[in-house]
Amino acid sequence: MQYGFFDDKNREYVITTPKTPLPWINYLGNKDFFSLVSNTCGGYSFYKDAKLLRLTRYRYNNVPYDNNGKYFYIKDGETVWNPGWQPVKTELDSYECRHGIGYSKFTSVKNDVKASVLTFVPMSDTCEISHVELTNNSSSEKKLQLFSYVEWCLWNADDDMKNFQRNLSTGEVEIVDSTIFHKTEYRERRNHYAIYSVNTKVDAVDTSRDAFLGAYNGPDHPDAVFAGKLTNSVASGWSPIAAHQIDITLAPGETKTFNFILGYVENPEDQKWESHGIINKKPANEMLARYQSDADVDKAFAELSAYWDNLLSIYHVKSSNEKVDRMVNIWNQYQCMVTFNMSRSASYYESGIGRGMGFRDSCQDLLGFVHLIPDRARERIIDIASTQFQDGSAYHQYQPLTKKGNSDIGSGFNDDPLWLIAGTSAYIRETGDMSILDETVPFDNDMSVATPLMNHLKRSFDYIVNHKGPHDLPLIGRADWNDCLNLNCFSAHPGESFQTFGPSEGPVAESVFIAGMFVKYGEEYAQLCELKGDSAEAERARAEVKKMYDAVCTAGWDGEWFVRAYDAHSNKVGSHECKEGQIYIEPQGFCVLAGIGVKEGLAEKALKSVKERLDTKYGVMILQPAYTEYHLELGEVSSYPPGYKENAGIFCHNNPWVSIAETVLGHGDRAFEIYKKTCPAYVEEISDIHCTEPYVYSQMVAGRDAKFFGQGKNSWLTGTAAWTFVNISQYILGIYPTHKGLSVDPCVPAGFGDFELVRKYRGATYNISVKTNGAQKGIQKLIVNGNEINGTVIPYDPSVKEYTVEAIMG
Ligand code: GLC
Ligand code: GLC
């Protein structure tokens, strides 16, 4: 069952009922000002950091679902309704929500009044615009009232939910005409405030939540709206809000429009005040002045569209498969932007106050983003590397606003260092910009110990070399990519963190997964050394990689698949010797994509085992058999009920690893089959089972052992976005950036048909057409600007700006 449809021409998903199984959300904002907006107008906004600079309140963990947003109420006689249906939930005569790329548009009709709300964050201001249009489609005049409503968050979203003894006394606002200024804590340590304004004269406002809602009411029944009269309340402590009242007369057929602006404003420390106690409103007024007319809004909206036209022209495919084109050209790339911006901080499942930017997460997010805006990827790499420690280990997370490592969680996740090599290598392969390796980057944000980025990569590499266990495999530390494989923690009491409890960094427990990563990214490190002219270091690196390769093929091999790990007692994890959890997906995918065991025939066996033991119709499960008991020596992985999350869920993030591994073996059919199983466009038709948004990936789909097999959870912020884009764009469609130039080497299913691709790369445009000849892999001929070339790599030549490439497979 579906709750909407894709409109590819407009790059939108059109939701046709507000009653989706879960809130289906979108993200607004590209750089500093962000909003989450659901299909019923729920959501919230923040500036740069969802924890520290939250503008509006949202109620996680509340009922009904999706409580609090930026609401508009329309009062038409005795009927009060909202264009997004919530919060009043008056039945609408028609409803539509279009989630587009960086904007959402609601269009609803009730009693012959049509309301539409277009909401987006303009490119060059720290605000959200909501453009509201009301049309009277009846044959008589209508007297309506339009009300707006947002509830301010007192900036620190964590403190806002906890520290009531203070917070209920600090709220302050100023009101000037149609603009409400939220200035809590501005008197003392803040130099920023928020505004909510509308480009018309208002009939009344409210800034006190209690005055607006009435005691014991929620936003579903604001007394002031139902009475048709806001009270001009001035908040003092308690819960400040911003609500406007506009009385409107509409002749038959007439339309009126309004621009509501929710903004964030900062003043320089010495220009905070206009006069004693009165905030300096100059920058706010200047911002508002930019969005007064409909033409202003149209222009800002056109800028946003043009921005995305440009980004989405960098990688564009035209195949005979509509679903692939839709995901590759629109939604997958869009989700990559969102994960790049948010890491794992703010979604409907990540509360914005927990994890900030993840070291491993952000490095992986880069992989799917770097072609879009390489400069931002560059900046991010430096930020991430700045949280590394001198021994090569790293803070597992850092706060986006301060860019400082988070010491609650600390370090000791032993896969982290290698992801820095992965991200940097991807950046350089994309751009050819070797200068990044010479950037001076601090350790733990301490400039006195700064060193060139290249040296950070060396420390990453050596961290693994210097932290090996009894089988010459990498020590796992607190966990590797699988946060829940906690082999050194032994947590037996509720409330203890599975990751940081106990000895945590034992000298015995080892990870075959990190070994696979080391083989892959160790080679990428060696290539960077070579490019830097350091062939001795490249040789040393390759010798270490070779040792690791051998260790994986011996101690890391179980007979039919790769072992997952060795626990703190040196027992195997993910082996046929185990009672539960005999086979894990991660080492099968990653070791094979790193090329391990291909020539020895191990890779083929490992992937066959994946197919036999882990595959389901909804994707490949992370492990089998599921843990039915808590294993103290394994930790959180065995804490989840069977079929959920890391305990035998379909963890979408590592499905592309297996799909890529299949392309390494030339199995286009199987690679694509795996791709399709979790691909949103393919899953759309089972939206009633899948539940999460059909236009983006979720972190997890419940596995075969779960009661709700096939149900998605934790949508949007997942490494699945980047890895799937890498899989489909670089391996299946086969356009892979190397240091020497673009490689064209697709691996597609036999019936895929011919396809065309535009790829912009290092300042040139490549127009590529691929004749598949029914083959799954193998380039027979590559003709570049009329000349046949050897191999699959089109040598990069800065003097050529246009390439016409014909690739003939078979
Ligand atoms: C989550 C985390 C990621 C981790 C994965 C597996 O997606 O964000 O860092 O690798 O879970 O545990
Ligand atoms: C990852 C995992 C999750 C785990 C968490 C711990 O996000 O997906 O299952 O609880 O890490 O930090």
Side-chain angles (χ1 to χ4, degrees):
M1 186 181 157
Q2 295 184 196
Y3 302 86
F5 57 91
F6 286 96
D7 176 347
D8 293 341
K9 198 170 142 278
N10 290 308
R11 301 192 296 232
E12 291 169 338
Y13 193 80
V14 188
I15 304 169
T16 50
T17 167
K19 294 170 206 168
T20 46
L22 290 166
W24 284 3
I25 74 161
N26 195 12
Y27 284 83
L28 317 178
N30 293 303
K31 203 159 183 295
D32 291 331
F33 189 103
F34 295 104
S35 301
L36 282 63
V37 54
S38 75
N39 61 312
T40 61
C41 293
Y44 60 91
S45 299
F46 58 93
Y47 177 74
K48 283 192 181 171
D49 190 313
K51 175 177 172 183
L52 299 177
L53 291 174
R54 183 91 59 111
L55 267 78
T56 60
R57 271 188 191 152
Y58 183 79
R59 297 200 160 73
Y60 282 97
N61 204 4
N62 210 301
V63 283
Y65 263 150
D66 198 12
N67 194 313
N68 231 9
K70 283 157 227 154
Y71 295 131
F72 294 103
Y73 299 83
I74 295 160
K75 186 167 188 298
D76 177 6
E78 291 310 299
T79 307
V80 175
W81 60 284
N82 310 100
W85 183 63
Q86 286 239 67
V88 179
K89 293 198 263 189
T90 300
E91 284 306 316
L92 302 171
D93 297 337
S94 77
Y95 158 94
E96 183 185 88
C97 164
R98 289 179 173 259
H99 282 322
I101 305 302
Y103 67 91
S104 290
K105 186 171 184 182
F106 300 83
T107 309
S108 299
V109 176
K110 181 72 186 175
N111 297 341
D112 293 324
V113 175
K114 179 170 144 199
S116 78
V117 182
L118 168 69
T119 174
F120 67 100
V121 172
M123 291 305 303
S124 47
D125 269 308
T126 53
C127 67
E128 177 185 332
I129 301 174
S130 291
H131 177 74
V132 179
E133 280 187 26
L134 295 179
T135 305
N136 176 5
N137 283 333
S138 78
S139 50
S140 47
E141 185 183 271
K142 287 251 189 197
K143 285 200 185 307
L144 304 172
Q145 290 179 303
L146 173 67
F147 300 92
S148 69
Y149 172 63
V150 302
E151 181 180 358
W152 300 115
C153 178
L154 307 185
W155 300 112
N156 181 326
D158 188 22
D159 186 75
D160 187 63
M161 290 195 295
K162 299 197 296 222
N163 195 8
F164 303 105
Q165 59 81 24
R166 168 180 163 84
N167 294 343
L168 295 179
S169 294
T170 58
E172 287 187 284
V173 297
E174 284 182 36
I175 307 164
V176 180
D177 303 327
S178 303
T179 305
I180 293 153
F181 298 81
H182 175 228
K183 59 170 191 176
T184 300
E185 288 196 343
Y186 188 83
R187 295 172 56 245
E188 13 107 49
R189 290 167 303 175
R190 296 186 185 274
N191 65 337
H192 47 257
Y193 57 82
I195 54 170
Y196 197 35
S197 183
V198 58
N199 66 339
T200 189
K201 204 171 145 345
V202 295
D203 292 278
V205 298
D206 260 321
T207 62
S208 145
R209 191 181 73 194
D210 287 348
F212 179 76
L213 297 178
Y216 295 97
N217 284 348
D220 59 320
H221 199 283
D223 277 349
V225 169
F226 279 79
K229 207 169 173 8
L230 298 195
T231 68
N232 289 319
S233 58
V234 181
S236 176
W238 301 105
S239 292
I241 60 153
H244 303 98
Q245 171 187 335
I246 306 166
D247 298 343
I248 303 161
T249 305
L250 283 179
E254 189 182 1
T255 298
K256 281 193 174 146
T257 62
F258 308 91
N259 301 336
F260 288 86
I261 311 294
L262 174 75
Y264 170 91
V265 179
E266 257 173 32
N267 276 324
E269 224 21 70
D270 58 346
Q271 292 165 37
K272 275 177 72 169
W273 305 102
E274 183 179 305
S275 58
H276 186 70
I278 302 297
I279 60 178
N280 173 7
K281 304 187 180 64
K282 195 163 162 267
N285 291 332
E286 284 167 2
M287 173 153 68
L288 291 174
R290 290 193 278 276
Y291 305 105
Q292 288 303 298
S293 71
D294 287 0
D296 293 337
V297 171
D298 288 349
K299 185 165 156 272
F301 190 62
E303 272 167 23
L304 178 67
S305 304
Y307 173 76
W308 276 104
D309 286 346
N310 175 43
L311 291 183
L312 296 176
S313 72
I314 296 167
Y315 193 114
H316 189 95
V317 65
K318 199 158 163 283
S319 76
S320 54
N321 188 316
E322 173 189 69
K323 293 191 167 86
V324 168
D325 292 3
R326 161 185 304 152
M327 291 312 301
V328 170
N329 297 336
I330 307 170
W331 293 98
N332 199 172
Q333 295 199 61
Y334 181 47
Q335 190 176 0
C336 286
M337 166 70 98
V338 172
T339 56
F340 176 84
N341 286 333
M342 299 289 135
S343 194
R344 306 295 167 268
S345 67
S347 74
Y348 266 32
Y349 310 93
E350 300 279 9
S351 61
I353 61 171
R355 306 194 263 174
M357 311 296 280
F359 190 98
R360 80 154 79 87
D361 296 323
S362 291
C363 286
Q364 290 172 86
D365 294 341
L366 277 170
L367 306 177
F369 173 83
V370 63
H371 67 292
L372 291 174
I373 313 178
D375 284 353
R376 287 190 65 202
R378 189 184 205 276
E379 189 188 331
R380 178 65 52 79
I381 290 169
I382 307 290
D383 287 350
I384 295 172
S386 306
T387 65
Q388 190 175 31
F389 292 105
Q390 297 200 51
D391 71 351
S393 66
Y395 277 110
H396 194 47
Q397 288 155 12
Y398 71 95
Q399 200 58 34
L401 190 68
T402 61
K403 298 187 177 174
K404 292 262 158 57
N406 167 354
S407 36
D408 299 344
I409 180 109
S411 77
F413 294 76
N414 285 355
D415 62 320
D416 276 335
L418 291 175
W419 292 117
L420 183 63
I421 298 178
T424 309
S425 156
Y427 169 78
I428 297 175
R429 284 185 289 105
E430 179 68 32
T431 58
D433 169 23
M434 292 286 291
S435 75
I436 189 174
L437 295 174
D438 302 327
E439 285 290 332
T440 310
V441 181
F443 288 106
D444 190 8
N445 287 98
D446 177 358
M447 255 337 225
S448 72
V449 286
T451 180
L453 180 65
M454 187 66 197
N455 204 14
H456 281 256
L457 303 189
K458 179 169 188 295
R459 308 261 178 127
S460 284
F461 182 86
D462 281 336
Y463 185 83
I464 310 300
V465 174
N466 297 330
H467 291 80
K468 289 197 202 166
H471 300 90
D472 280 333
L473 292 164
L475 291 174
I476 197 168
R478 296 174 191 274
D480 60 19
W481 172 88
N482 190 332
D483 271 335
C484 299
L485 202 54
N486 314 125
L487 306 181
N488 291 308
C489 294
F490 304 97
S491 166
H493 299 103
E496 294 162 352
S497 155
F498 285 107
Q499 280 84 39
T500 58
F501 177 78
S504 279
E505 289 172 44
V508 176
E510 300 165 291
S511 161
V512 178
F513 172 78
I514 300 178
M517 280 187 80
F518 185 81
V519 170
K520 172 143 178 72
Y521 299 123
E523 168 56 28
E524 296 194 13
Y525 170 67
Q527 288 175 16
L528 293 176
C529 296
E530 253 166 10
L531 288 171
K532 290 284 287 174
D534 190 348
S535 51
E537 177 67 356
E539 205 176 301
R540 178 186 78 98
R542 289 199 170 110
E544 290 294 345
V545 166
K546 169 77 175 66
K547 270 194 245 167
M548 191 68 85
Y549 186 109
D550 293 343
V552 174
C553 290
T554 49
W557 182 248
D558 194 52
E560 297 295 321
W561 57 81
F562 293 102
V563 177
R564 176 63 177 84
Y566 283 88
D567 70 17
H569 313 291
S570 244
N571 293 322
K572 285 182 185 167
V573 180
S575 154
H576 71 285
E577 294 166 17
C578 306
K579 194 165 121 259
E580 311 187 307
Q582 295 177 337
I583 174 171
Y584 278 65
I585 196 174
E586 302 100 307
Q588 324 313 327
F590 227 89
C591 291
V592 178
L593 78 77
I596 303 177
V598 175
K599 55 181 190 295
E600 296 85 350
L602 309 183
E604 195 83 38
K605 274 194 192 160
L607 296 187
K608 191 161 161 272
S609 300
V610 167
K611 186 164 183 195
E612 282 167 10
R613 291 167 185 260
L614 298 178
D615 207 10
T616 78
K617 61 179 170 176
Y618 297 130
V620 186
M621 296 175 288
I622 194 169
L623 63 85
Q624 273 296 301
Y627 294 106
T628 59
E629 296 163 21
Y630 179 52
H631 294 252
L632 192 62
E633 77 288 5
L634 302 181
E636 188 172 2
V637 68
S638 57
S639 75
Y640 289 110
Y644 292 114
K645 297 278 284 181
E646 280 86 340
N647 186 13
I650 297 159
F651 218 89
C652 302
H653 189 140
N654 40 42
N655 276 243
W657 296 345
V658 177
S659 183
I660 294 172
E662 294 284 359
T663 69
V664 169
L665 301 187
H667 301 161
D669 281 332
R670 176 67 182 148
F672 193 66
E673 185 188 338
I674 296 168
Y675 171 79
K676 282 198 302 196
K677 287 185 192 212
T678 54
C679 179
Y682 280 93
V683 178
E684 184 194 16
E685 55 197 49
I686 55 152
S687 288
D688 49 332
I689 296 170
H690 188 69
C691 297
T692 47
E693 296 92 329
Y695 37 91
V696 292
Y697 286 91
S698 292
Q699 181 204 52
M700 186 215 53
V701 172
R704 199 174 53 204
D705 302 279
K707 174 145 193 252
F708 300 111
F709 179 34
Q711 192 174 72
K713 282 205 184 121
N714 195 359
S715 56
W716 280 98
L717 303 186
T718 161
T720 316
W723 272 106
T724 317
F725 190 69
V726 167
N727 178 30
I728 187 76
S729 64
Q730 300 182 11
Y731 291 89
I732 295 180
L733 299 174
I735 312 301
Y736 181 90
T738 75
H739 291 297
K740 300 206 167 78
L742 270 191
S743 160
V744 180
D745 189 10
C747 182
V748 291
F752 195 72
D754 299 344
F755 60 95
E756 278 165 25
L757 242 149
V758 179
R759 177 68 157 92
K760 295 186 184 158
Y761 176 72
R762 301 193 190 180
T765 303
Y766 293 71
N767 299 291
I768 304 167
S769 71
V770 180
K771 298 237 175 324
T772 53
N773 290 324
Q776 296 188 41
K777 184 146 183 179
I779 290 291
Q780 205 191 88
K781 230 186 215 185
L782 197 60
I783 305 165
V784 179
N785 288 343
N787 305 315
E788 187 171 344
I789 65 164
N790 284 331
T792 67
V793 178
I794 305 164
Y796 169 64
D797 175 352
S799 68
V800 182
K801 296 291 168 213
E802 265 316 299
Y803 290 86
T804 304
V805 182
E806 270 177 274
I808 298 158
M809 293 175 65

